[in-house]
Amino acid sequence: MEKKWWHSATAYQIYPKSYQDSNGDGIGDLPGVIDRLDEVKALGADVIWLSPIYCSPLADQGYDISDYFNIDPRFGTMEDMDRLLAAAKDRDLKIVMDLVVNHCSDEHEWFRKACEDPDGPYGQFFYIRDWHEGEPYPCNWRSYFGGPCWELLPGHTDKIYFHAFHKKQPDLNWENPLLRRTVYDMINWWLDRGVAGFRIDAIINIKKFLPFRDFPADRDDGLCSIQRMLEKAKGITSFLDEMADETFRPHDAFTVGEVFNEKDEELPLFIGERGCFSSMFDFSGTLINKSEKGWYDQPPVTMEQYKEAMFASHRRVAGVGFLSNIIENHDEPRGVSFFLPPEGRSETGKKLLGGLGFLLPGIPFLYQGQELGMENTTHTDISEIDDISSQDEYRVALDAGLSPAEALAVVDRFSRDNARTPYQWDDTPNTGFTTGKPWLPVHPNHTEINLAEQKGRADSLYNFYRALIRLRRDPEYADTVVYGSFEPYLEEREGLMAYYRRGRRTLLVLGNYSGAEMTVPLNEASKRVLLNNLERYSEKDGAATLAPWQFVVLEV
Ligand code: NOJ
């Protein structure tokens, strides 16, 4: 396999709106990111994925772009962006932008022009269809944020347009070669400006199952999950391959696809040696127990399920390519709240979860605050929630018969706002995020969980993540951690997640989440303990004794 710089990278996702505000308007911004670059460097990450900062009405927090060539004034200016790129370069950090091209904003000039002249060239940039009041829509697919995928075209009574996400996010018509060319030119413009690559949003949706048609309804609303069309749509790789040839490959850019529902045979086409992406996220953990009925129907996840999901994913891609591993991102609840049972949410348990995920093959992506163990928040009323998908799921839960309090509790477990509360820098009232009023309330636990406290404490979660990253970079172990084979160990043993990484060295990773002390037989005595989330470790007569929530990395 040809070695690439990004194989050994550790990436850190910044959600700019909630990271650091520099001008007191309560919204994080690019100058704020620049001010904090040394913190990313101190953690040890080498790639920053920046969630969208392009001009946007922020209906979906920037995933609704109204101008791909400018920075939203709330986030700063193009000069700030250039300063960020230069400051990152000085620190040997790479910047990866978010590429959102399944859809744009309904406030984008292309869409405005399409509304003015649906039969003109910009009409062809979207999926616009004739329709008359009382007629069924061209298909009954449910949009990701609820309701039908069709909306009346502004200024018209007899035309509708398609949106897979919110109605303010009209889908771009990738069947149109001119649209594709326009997108590629934009991508190259950013690559030429110095970004190292892209995290590619919602990309699996660019290939529609055409012509539009109904599938059997799966809820009382008469609609069906849009997943049905993704299962049927064929030929996405010809679009992706063309995009890669026209943009990423000539620039040797790093790309990570937001890919769901991939079929086994597509894996090499996506992330193989000549794949369309460098890597793609492994969402198998976040998808555990997902119900098509909605969040209200989703039981809590167990660590046993997490283990099974991770082992299955990494077996599936072994020898094919690199997954990007996450326990959370800006669309998910906090990983420690989602995966760990309440009794495991101590710093020890958080280290176990972090360590087990970090040492899997692939590229670790940390989400801002993960290194502090930031947790889900709670709300007293749905009006406190900003996220559009949470509002939809709240309605779905009410429709299913839950009381408002029960529906709110459901939303608290899964809301995307959990990950979007301001980064917890310190224990001051606004946690060092802003001098103004934060756009989302700070988590009350910032007085205990914050960077300032954890930096000053050798055994903090933050310092544990630093140690993980150091191990990944250590010349003695990097080759094994990055390229070593992956071999589950004692897979059937409940309460234990264990695996080998075998390369120039052999590492055995052990995590005991059973809640009780556990004895684990070893095939060989350990030579040294490379990482331990507790002070003690005991090994005797060919067996390790692990305390509850103990995590160790042994060299054997
Ligand atoms: C995935 C993004 O991560 C999410 O935040 C967004 O709402 C959708 N794609 C639509 O762009």
Side-chain angles (χ1 to χ4, degrees):
M1 181 202 303
E2 195 194 334
K3 293 199 171 166
K4 298 279 191 185
W5 66 266
W6 47 265
H7 285 162
S8 57
T10 299
Y12 187 78
Q13 181 188 355
I14 290 184
Y15 193 70
K17 196 173 182 190
S18 304
Y19 190 58
Q20 177 67 68
D21 176 20
S22 73
N23 59 2
D25 64 358
I27 293 179
D29 47 39
L30 291 178
V33 176
I34 298 171
D35 288 348
R36 296 294 194 174
L37 273 188
D38 286 331
E39 297 294 2
V40 180
K41 194 68 194 169
L43 179 64
D46 16 47
V47 171
I48 293 176
W49 156 24
L50 210 57
S51 278
I53 36 74
Y54 311 88
C55 288
S56 164
L58 302 189
D60 187 20
Q61 299 304 356
Y63 286 90
D64 47 324
I65 296 172
S66 54
D67 182 353
Y68 289 92
F69 295 97
N70 273 303
I71 306 298
D72 192 281
R74 284 162 287 195
F75 294 131
T77 61
M78 194 53 88
E79 287 69 47
D80 293 330
M81 187 65 206
D82 287 340
R83 273 199 308 124
L84 172 61
L85 288 169
K89 194 164 179 204
D90 288 346
R91 290 163 177 80
D92 210 13
L93 287 167
K94 300 232 172 9
I95 301 283
V96 164
M97 299 265 284
D98 221 302
L99 180 66
V100 188
V101 288
N102 172 66
H103 46 267
C104 61
S105 161
D106 65 342
E107 296 182 32
H108 195 290
E109 182 188 26
W110 300 335
F111 192 69
R112 289 223 185 101
K113 289 186 172 160
C115 294
E116 279 160 23
D117 180 11
D119 299 321
Y122 288 101
Q124 302 302 313
F125 272 35
F126 300 92
Y127 293 100
I128 295 176
R129 298 287 185 272
D130 293 333
W131 176 83
H132 297 98
E133 182 96 53
E135 282 178 4
Y137 290 137
C139 67
N140 67 342
W141 310 343
R142 184 181 304 107
S143 72
Y144 288 101
F145 297 145
C149 284
W150 296 94
E151 188 70 23
L152 216 46
L153 192 69
H156 300 261
T157 51
D158 58 351
K159 289 198 187 299
I160 52 179
Y161 68 94
F162 180 89
H163 59 93
F165 291 88
H166 194 259
K167 64 180 179 195
K168 285 188 69 65
Q169 294 167 298
D171 277 48
L172 293 167
N173 174 10
W174 275 70
E175 305 293 334
N176 176 356
L178 184 60
L179 175 276
R180 299 204 299 275
R181 184 71 260 157
T182 309
V183 168
Y184 304 156
D185 290 346
M186 179 274 289
I187 295 174
N188 286 328
W189 187 87
W190 278 106
L191 289 170
D192 291 339
R193 216 172 176 98
V195 307
F198 295 95
R199 172 268 184 186
I200 310 180
D201 184 75
I203 195 67
I204 207 74
N205 296 280
I206 62 173
K207 185 75 198 177
K208 313 288 189 258
F209 185 54
L210 297 173
F212 292 111
R213 76 199 76 175
D214 285 358
F215 293 109
D218 53 28
R219 290 188 196 165
D220 293 344
D221 58 7
L223 305 177
C224 77
S225 164
I226 196 165
Q227 304 297 331
R228 296 294 84 75
M229 86 92 177
L230 294 181
E231 287 153 16
K232 297 263 182 207
K234 293 267 176 324
I236 189 170
T237 41
S238 67
F239 289 161
L240 296 178
D241 222 34
E242 181 185 86
M243 171 162 63
D245 273 343
E246 295 290 332
T247 62
F248 312 136
R249 286 180 183 134
H251 283 88
D252 201 16
F254 168 65
T255 56
V256 50
E258 192 200 23
V259 177
F260 290 94
N261 290 91
E262 72 285 352
K263 300 152 188 123
D264 275 357
E265 63 275 17
E266 285 171 339
L267 278 173
L269 304 171
F270 287 170
I271 56 166
E273 193 110 47
R274 278 275 311 159
C276 328
F277 308 121
S278 313
S279 177
M280 60 188 237
F281 287 110
D282 178 22
F283 289 115
S284 63
T286 65
L287 292 174
I288 297 169
N289 291 348
K290 272 254 145 54
S291 163
E292 290 220 330
K293 291 189 188 160
W295 289 350
Y296 76 90
D297 190 46
Q298 187 170 338
V301 169
T302 65
M303 282 297 292
E304 209 56 33
Q305 288 178 305
Y306 172 74
K307 169 175 85 176
E308 283 161 21
M310 294 306 106
F311 285 0
S313 283
H314 289 280
R315 281 209 172 98
R316 193 165 168 241
V317 299
V320 177
F322 277 66
L323 286 175
S324 288
N325 300 317
I326 57 161
I327 60 164
E328 63 193 48
N329 65 23
H330 65 292
D331 288 333
E332 300 296 331
R334 287 290 179 176
V336 293
S337 305
F338 185 73
F339 292 110
L340 293 171
E343 67 277 12
R345 282 178 213 150
S346 61
E347 260 198 356
T348 308
K350 291 175 180 180
K351 288 174 185 169
L352 169 137
L353 177 65
L356 287 172
F358 192 93
L359 291 168
L360 291 167
I363 306 164
F365 267 72
L366 309 184
Y367 178 68
Q368 64 182 43
Q370 176 181 336
E371 76 281 18
L372 307 178
M374 280 179 64
E375 297 176 353
N376 280 358
T377 188
T378 52
H379 303 89
T380 51
D381 191 87
I382 187 69
S383 61
E384 293 164 17
I385 293 189
D386 172 272
D387 168 34
I388 43 183
S389 79
S390 301
Q391 282 151 12
D392 172 53
E393 293 283 355
Y394 180 75
R395 267 191 308 272
V396 170
L398 290 180
D399 290 349
L402 275 71
S403 70
E406 289 165 339
L408 191 63
V410 165
V411 165
D412 275 349
R413 280 177 58 212
F414 298 107
S415 175
R416 305 196 295 179
D417 278 1
N418 282 310
R420 299 176 182 185
T421 59
Y423 186 87
Q424 293 169 202
W425 295 104
D426 58 37
D427 63 0
T428 59
N430 284 338
T431 194
F433 165 67
T434 181
T435 53
K437 182 174 184 297
W439 74 279
L440 266 191
V442 300
H443 197 302
N445 72 8
H446 73 276
T447 46
E448 290 100 55
I449 298 180
N450 63 67
L451 179 68
E453 190 278 328
Q454 294 202 25
K455 271 179 102 168
R457 184 161 52 84
D459 68 350
S460 66
L461 180 62
Y462 166 82
N463 278 315
F464 187 78
Y465 269 104
R466 289 181 66 220
L468 283 165
I469 298 176
R470 266 201 310 276
L471 179 64
R472 189 169 167 78
R473 304 184 122 180
D474 184 329
E476 292 299 321
Y477 298 99
D479 177 74
T480 306
V481 174
V482 175
Y483 296 107
S485 67
F486 168 73
E487 198 185 294
Y489 180 57
L490 298 178
E491 193 171 348
E492 305 303 324
R493 178 86 180 263
E494 251 183 65
L496 175 77
M497 177 160 164
Y499 54 86
Y500 283 102
R501 299 297 315 277
R502 292 185 196 273
R504 273 201 301 125
R505 310 283 187 120
T506 301
L507 307 184
L508 178 60
V509 178
L510 300 173
N512 167 18
Y513 51 82
S514 69
E517 188 174 280
M518 170 183 274
T519 302
V520 181
L522 300 177
N523 290 329
E524 53 282 282
S526 63
K527 293 185 189 145
R528 54 185 72 82
V529 181
L530 297 175
L531 280 171
N532 187 353
N533 65 350
L534 295 175
E535 273 174 14
R536 60 194 183 282
Y537 166 70
S538 104
E539 182 178 319
K540 184 158 99 223
D541 302 332
T545 303
L546 300 179
W549 300 100
Q550 186 159 21
F551 167 86
V552 286
V553 181
L554 307 177
E555 180 173 359
V556 296

mmCIF file of all heavy atoms in Angstrom, residues 60 63 103 145 165 199 201 258 330-331 416 420, ligand 1:
data_model
loop_
_atom_site.group_PDB
_atom_site.id
_atom_site.type_symbol
_atom_site.label_atom_id
_atom_site.label_comp_id
_atom_site.label_asym_id
_atom_site.label_seq_id
_atom_site.Cartn_x
_atom_site.Cartn_y
_atom_site.Cartn_z
ATOM 1 N N ASP A 60 -29.563 25.429 8.961
ATOM 2 C CA ASP A 60 -29.009 24.165 9.445
ATOM 3 C C ASP A 60 -27.552 24.409 9.846
ATOM 4 O O ASP A 60 -26.657 23.652 9.498
ATOM 5 C CB ASP A 60 -29.132 23.084 8.360
ATOM 6 C CG ASP A 60 -28.717 21.711 8.867
ATOM 7 O OD1 ASP A 60 -28.709 21.514 10.099
ATOM 8 O OD2 ASP A 60 -28.394 20.845 8.034
ATOM 9 N N TYR A 63 -24.847 24.266 7.143
ATOM 10 C CA TYR A 63 -24.949 23.207 6.133
ATOM 11 C C TYR A 63 -25.980 23.607 5.078
ATOM 12 O O TYR A 63 -26.528 22.772 4.365
ATOM 13 C CB TYR A 63 -25.267 21.859 6.795
ATOM 14 C CG TYR A 63 -24.042 21.313 7.503
ATOM 15 C CD1 TYR A 63 -23.802 21.620 8.832
ATOM 16 C CD2 TYR A 63 -23.099 20.557 6.824
ATOM 17 C CE1 TYR A 63 -22.649 21.164 9.474
ATOM 18 C CE2 TYR A 63 -21.953 20.094 7.454
ATOM 19 C CZ TYR A 63 -21.740 20.407 8.777
ATOM 20 O OH TYR A 63 -20.590 19.955 9.385
ATOM 21 N N HIS A 103 -26.615 19.794 -1.554
ATOM 22 C CA HIS A 103 -27.634 20.840 -1.563
ATOM 23 C C HIS A 103 -26.956 22.165 -1.295
ATOM 24 O O HIS A 103 -25.800 22.204 -0.846
ATOM 25 C CB HIS A 103 -28.689 20.564 -0.489
ATOM 26 C CG HIS A 103 -28.081 20.179 0.835
ATOM 27 N ND1 HIS A 103 -27.858 18.871 1.202
ATOM 28 C CD2 HIS A 103 -27.599 20.917 1.859
ATOM 29 C CE1 HIS A 103 -27.285 18.822 2.396
ATOM 30 N NE2 HIS A 103 -27.112 20.066 2.815
ATOM 31 N N PHE A 145 -35.288 15.797 7.831
ATOM 32 C CA PHE A 145 -35.740 16.616 8.962
ATOM 33 C C PHE A 145 -37.259 16.609 9.093
ATOM 34 O O PHE A 145 -37.856 17.473 9.737
ATOM 35 C CB PHE A 145 -35.202 18.048 8.836
ATOM 36 C CG PHE A 145 -33.698 18.135 8.894
ATOM 37 C CD1 PHE A 145 -32.999 19.071 8.141
ATOM 38 C CD2 PHE A 145 -32.969 17.275 9.712
ATOM 39 C CE1 PHE A 145 -31.610 19.149 8.202
ATOM 40 C CE2 PHE A 145 -31.586 17.342 9.780
ATOM 41 C CZ PHE A 145 -30.904 18.285 9.019
ATOM 42 N N PHE A 165 -33.102 17.312 2.776
ATOM 43 C CA PHE A 165 -32.985 17.774 4.160
ATOM 44 C C PHE A 165 -34.077 18.828 4.395
ATOM 45 O O PHE A 165 -35.221 18.621 4.027
ATOM 46 C CB PHE A 165 -31.554 18.276 4.437
ATOM 47 C CG PHE A 165 -30.553 17.140 4.433
ATOM 48 C CD1 PHE A 165 -29.944 16.723 3.253
ATOM 49 C CD2 PHE A 165 -30.252 16.454 5.593
ATOM 50 C CE1 PHE A 165 -29.053 15.653 3.236
ATOM 51 C CE2 PHE A 165 -29.371 15.378 5.599
ATOM 52 C CZ PHE A 165 -28.766 14.984 4.417
ATOM 53 N N ARG A 199 -14.041 17.281 4.320
ATOM 54 C CA ARG A 199 -14.997 16.305 4.857
ATOM 55 C C ARG A 199 -16.235 16.519 3.988
ATOM 56 O O ARG A 199 -16.704 17.645 3.816
ATOM 57 C CB ARG A 199 -15.246 16.612 6.332
ATOM 58 C CG ARG A 199 -16.368 15.791 6.961
ATOM 59 C CD ARG A 199 -17.686 16.526 6.866
ATOM 60 N NE ARG A 199 -18.728 15.786 7.557
ATOM 61 C CZ ARG A 199 -20.003 16.141 7.543
ATOM 62 N NH1 ARG A 199 -20.402 17.196 6.875
ATOM 63 N NH2 ARG A 199 -20.890 15.448 8.178
ATOM 64 N N ASP A 201 -19.927 16.266 2.971
ATOM 65 C CA ASP A 201 -21.226 16.162 3.626
ATOM 66 C C ASP A 201 -22.250 15.395 2.791
ATOM 67 O O ASP A 201 -22.393 15.654 1.590
ATOM 68 C CB ASP A 201 -21.745 17.592 3.855
ATOM 69 C CG ASP A 201 -23.045 17.631 4.617
ATOM 70 O OD1 ASP A 201 -23.013 17.405 5.823
ATOM 71 O OD2 ASP A 201 -24.090 17.886 3.983
ATOM 72 N N GLU A 258 -18.842 11.492 4.247
ATOM 73 C CA GLU A 258 -19.936 11.167 5.171
ATOM 74 C C GLU A 258 -20.824 10.171 4.424
ATOM 75 O O GLU A 258 -21.708 10.556 3.672
ATOM 76 C CB GLU A 258 -20.730 12.417 5.566
ATOM 77 C CG GLU A 258 -21.662 12.104 6.730
ATOM 78 C CD GLU A 258 -22.811 13.085 6.905
ATOM 79 O OE1 GLU A 258 -23.203 13.768 5.943
ATOM 80 O OE2 GLU A 258 -23.349 13.153 8.001
ATOM 81 N N HIS A 330 -20.757 16.732 15.562
ATOM 82 C CA HIS A 330 -21.743 17.803 15.797
ATOM 83 C C HIS A 330 -23.178 17.343 15.550
ATOM 84 O O HIS A 330 -24.107 18.116 15.774
ATOM 85 C CB HIS A 330 -21.418 18.981 14.882
ATOM 86 C CG HIS A 330 -21.594 18.625 13.434
ATOM 87 N ND1 HIS A 330 -20.779 17.722 12.783
ATOM 88 C CD2 HIS A 330 -22.516 19.004 12.540
ATOM 89 C CE1 HIS A 330 -21.195 17.571 11.552
ATOM 90 N NE2 HIS A 330 -22.247 18.347 11.363
ATOM 91 N N ASP A 331 -23.363 16.117 15.045
ATOM 92 C CA ASP A 331 -24.710 15.604 14.768
ATOM 93 C C ASP A 331 -25.167 14.579 15.796
ATOM 94 O O ASP A 331 -26.255 14.013 15.660
ATOM 95 C CB ASP A 331 -24.728 14.887 13.407
ATOM 96 C CG ASP A 331 -24.619 15.856 12.259
ATOM 97 O OD1 ASP A 331 -25.022 17.013 12.424
ATOM 98 O OD2 ASP A 331 -24.126 15.438 11.190
ATOM 99 N N ARG A 416 -28.860 17.019 18.682
ATOM 100 C CA ARG A 416 -27.583 17.488 18.149
ATOM 101 C C ARG A 416 -27.059 18.680 18.960
ATOM 102 O O ARG A 416 -25.869 18.962 18.946
ATOM 103 C CB ARG A 416 -27.730 17.861 16.672
ATOM 104 C CG ARG A 416 -28.301 16.719 15.829
ATOM 105 C CD ARG A 416 -28.104 16.923 14.356
ATOM 106 N NE ARG A 416 -28.812 18.060 13.827
ATOM 107 C CZ ARG A 416 -28.765 18.441 12.561
ATOM 108 N NH1 ARG A 416 -28.021 17.755 11.704
ATOM 109 N NH2 ARG A 416 -29.442 19.482 12.127
ATOM 110 N N ARG A 420 -23.313 20.785 20.668
ATOM 111 C CA ARG A 420 -23.105 22.148 20.162
ATOM 112 C C ARG A 420 -23.029 23.192 21.271
ATOM 113 O O ARG A 420 -22.918 24.380 21.000
ATOM 114 C CB ARG A 420 -24.217 22.481 19.159
ATOM 115 C CG ARG A 420 -24.187 21.522 17.970
ATOM 116 C CD ARG A 420 -25.321 21.723 16.988
ATOM 117 N NE ARG A 420 -25.231 20.721 15.921
ATOM 118 C CZ ARG A 420 -26.012 20.673 14.860
ATOM 119 N NH1 ARG A 420 -26.977 21.570 14.701
ATOM 120 N NH2 ARG A 420 -25.846 19.739 13.942
HETATM 121 C C1 NOJ B 1 -24.731 16.120 7.677
HETATM 122 C C2 NOJ B 1 -24.257 17.240 8.539
HETATM 123 O O1 NOJ B 1 -23.247 16.751 9.376
HETATM 124 C C3 NOJ B 1 -25.459 17.742 9.275
HETATM 125 O O2 NOJ B 1 -25.115 18.633 10.309
HETATM 126 C C4 NOJ B 1 -26.374 18.375 8.280
HETATM 127 O O3 NOJ B 1 -27.574 18.732 8.921
HETATM 128 C C5 NOJ B 1 -26.704 17.430 7.123
HETATM 129 N N1 NOJ B 1 -25.591 16.654 6.668
HETATM 130 C C6 NOJ B 1 -27.215 18.204 5.952
HETATM 131 O O4 NOJ B 1 -26.184 18.954 5.371
#
